[in-house]
């Protein structure tokens, strides 16, 4: 009787161990898939930003004659604004990369 109870307990522990292993494995797989999806979304967003910036740069650098009363672009102001925007993007990337 005691031997039978031992084997029943052992079988129950093994079954529970297998179920816990399956749940942990499945959870880790889901986390991995989610991480891959988030990285792909981030990559796509960065690509869109780069494309938009290239288009805007192309439009801004095309020679446009000044009309009467129109001021030329202030290069230093433009550079400062771009640096500010890059700093904001770096901060957002750091926030995204930090574990919750």
């Amino acid at each position: 009787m005691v031997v039978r109870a031992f084997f029943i307990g052992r079988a129950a522990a093994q079954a529970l161990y297998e179920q816990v292993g399956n749940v942990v494995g499945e959870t880790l797989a889901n986390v991995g898939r989610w991480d891959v999806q988030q990285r792909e979304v981030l990559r796509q967003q960065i690509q869109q930003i780069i494309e938009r910036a290239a288009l805007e740069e192309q439009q801004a650098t095309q020679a446009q004659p000044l009309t009467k009363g129109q001021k030329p672009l202030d290069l230093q102001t433009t550079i400062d604004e771009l640096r500010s925007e890059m700093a904001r993007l770096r901060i957002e990337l750091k926030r995204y990369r930090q574990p919750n």
Side-chain angles (χ1 to χ4, degrees):
M1 186 77 165
V2 173
V3 173
R4 185 171 187 195
F6 169 77
F7 284 110
I8 290 174
R10 183 175 167 191
Q14 286 176 345
L16 182 62
Y17 180 77
E18 289 172 2
Q19 287 179 348
V20 168
N22 290 339
V23 168
V24 169
E26 193 173 319
T27 301
L28 290 175
N30 287 336
V31 167
R33 280 191 290 272
W34 179 82
D35 184 48
V36 168
Q37 289 172 348
Q38 293 305 308
R39 288 176 188 257
E40 179 61 22
V41 166
L42 180 62
R43 187 194 64 76
Q44 289 174 355
Q45 288 176 346
I46 290 172
Q47 185 64 34
Q48 289 174 352
I49 290 168
I50 290 171
E51 289 171 0
R52 183 180 294 175
L55 178 64
E56 289 178 7
E57 178 185 16
Q58 181 183 16
Q59 291 172 350
T61 58
Q62 290 176 350
Q64 296 178 357
L66 297 176
T67 59
K68 212 175 207 181
Q70 187 179 16
K71 295 182 181 178
L73 292 176
D74 183 7
L75 185 58
Q76 188 59 47
T77 302
T78 303
I79 291 171
D80 291 342
E81 288 173 358
L82 288 173
R83 285 182 179 156
S84 173
E85 189 172 341
M86 287 172 55
R88 284 192 302 269
L89 287 173
R90 283 189 190 113
I91 290 169
E92 288 300 319
L93 281 172
K94 282 181 184 178
R95 284 185 191 155
Y96 174 78
R97 290 179 180 161
Q98 287 178 346
N100 291 331

